[in-house]
Amino acid sequence: MGGGMFFLVCLMLLAHSSILVRPKKLNDNSLEGKNIFILAGQSNMAGRGSLVPMPSECQRNPRILRLNAKLTWEEAQEPLHQDIDIHKTCGIGPGMAFANSILERDSARVGVIGLVPCAVGATNITAWQRGGFLFNQLVERAQAALRDGGRIRGILWYQGESNTDNLENVKGYKGKLETFFKDIRSDLKLPQLPIIQVALASGQNATYTEMVRKAQLEIKLPNVTCIDAKGLQIQSDKLHLTTEAEVRLGKMLAGAALKIMEHI
């Protein structure tokens, strides 16, 4: 075989191999019918649980998608926040266990789930107020998630540990949290958007943690549900949930979401 012919054959083989390894394109129908959930808050939502061994409840599923940092959909896998909470090492959070649990309980009705990671570790409630980077990023990502169709079914919110370090950070927490919920609904033009918030399992100061928890549990806004994480297992750092606890929380959030979806 001559040198030119050999080179041509090599090019053909290379082109053929690139086709074989090309990522599978997401089905347009799955994008149009997806049920979208926004994951927001700080580190216990972003996830700090160990990735090894990977819990069965957190395994990949082609019917669970993730909006990545480039605002495109891809098949979801842990860690969900790896390109969002970029200044920390992310691990298992509640997101994949949440989505897998919903599909396990009601796959026929739910179909495809789209997860939109927005949580960033060590963020005070003040950092989530309208006009700030985190608020604007959440709105941008939520709007991008709708471009291919689908419906935002709710926000999963777990934040507050950063407000438990001193009394000043506790003062006004309830008001700021309510304002955030109202403003995010307003900017997304979804006045009845369900919000499932998590009452703290841990904090930096026991007294202030209980004060933040009290504020969270007393929120009485329409379509705001509170899941109490108190009692879930905490890592040795006394702040972050263990992998097992994150999985448990994901299932708790799924139960709340399914109840809400029955009525909307």
Side-chain angles (χ1 to χ4, degrees):
M1 181 183 295
M5 180 61 72
F6 177 78
F7 180 69
L8 179 60
V9 171
C10 288
L11 284 178
M12 292 175 65
L13 290 172
L14 180 61
H16 180 66
S17 65
S18 67
I19 292 174
L20 292 177
V21 300
R22 186 175 298 163
K24 181 180 178 182
K25 184 178 180 180
L26 293 174
N27 185 292
D28 290 339
N29 292 329
S30 70
L31 293 175
E32 291 175 1
K34 64 187 175 300
N35 295 275
I36 300 168
F37 291 91
I38 298 166
L39 316 180
Q42 54 181 113
S43 56
N44 274 319
M45 178 59 76
R48 297 294 186 263
S50 174
L51 293 164
V52 181
M54 178 69 68
S56 60
E57 296 92 341
C58 299
Q59 297 295 329
R60 298 174 63 164
N61 185 321
R63 294 169 64 184
I64 304 174
L65 309 178
R66 180 187 86 105
L67 191 75
N68 62 29
K70 296 180 181 179
L71 303 180
T72 58
W73 290 105
E74 62 187 16
E75 186 173 320
Q77 63 177 322
E78 294 285 10
L80 289 174
H81 282 79
Q82 61 182 334
D83 57 353
I84 301 298
D85 192 9
I86 58 175
H87 298 297
K88 300 290 183 179
T89 301
C90 294
I92 298 292
M96 286 300 290
F98 164 81
N100 274 312
S101 183
I102 285 184
L103 290 177
E104 180 182 350
R105 300 187 207 185
D106 197 356
S107 61
R109 185 163 63 98
V110 174
V112 174
I113 294 177
L115 301 176
V116 183
C118 296
V120 177
T123 49
N124 189 289
I125 189 61
T126 303
W128 286 92
Q129 300 303 290
R130 176 186 268 159
F133 171 79
L134 295 174
F135 185 99
N136 292 341
Q137 177 178 250
L138 191 159
V139 172
E140 178 189 14
R141 288 178 58 72
Q143 292 172 339
L146 292 169
R147 290 173 190 162
D148 298 309
R151 178 181 180 185
I152 298 179
R153 289 288 194 169
I155 295 178
L156 310 184
W157 172 258
Y158 191 168
Q159 185 279 334
E161 295 92 342
S162 289
N163 286 85
T164 65
D165 58 348
N166 62 66
L167 185 59
E168 286 302 312
N169 277 331
V170 176
K171 289 180 179 179
Y173 180 85
K174 182 181 178 182
K176 290 179 180 179
L177 183 60
E178 290 178 331
T179 297
F180 168 72
F181 289 162
K182 292 175 182 177
D183 287 346
I184 208 68
R185 284 171 165 172
S186 175
D187 282 32
L188 293 178
K189 297 179 173 56
L190 295 170
Q192 300 301 317
L193 178 65
I195 298 172
I196 307 174
Q197 68 153 335
V198 180
L200 295 182
S202 59
Q204 301 178 57
N205 175 287
T207 299
Y208 302 143
T209 298
E210 287 305 314
M211 293 172 70
V212 170
R213 279 177 44 79
K214 183 174 184 292
Q216 293 169 333
L217 291 166
E218 289 179 351
I219 297 291
K220 301 300 182 184
L221 295 176
N223 293 332
V224 174
T225 302
C226 190
I227 298 298
D228 196 346
K230 188 172 185 178
L232 293 180
Q233 187 177 20
I234 305 297
Q235 297 184 35
S236 59
D237 64 5
K238 298 182 180 180
L239 192 63
H240 295 113
L241 298 181
T242 64
T243 300
E244 294 77 9
E246 291 282 21
V247 170
R248 174 59 183 155
L249 177 62
K251 293 179 178 180
M252 293 165 66
L253 290 166
L258 284 170
K259 288 182 180 179
I260 293 170
M261 291 170 68
E262 289 177 358
H263 304 289
I264 60 174

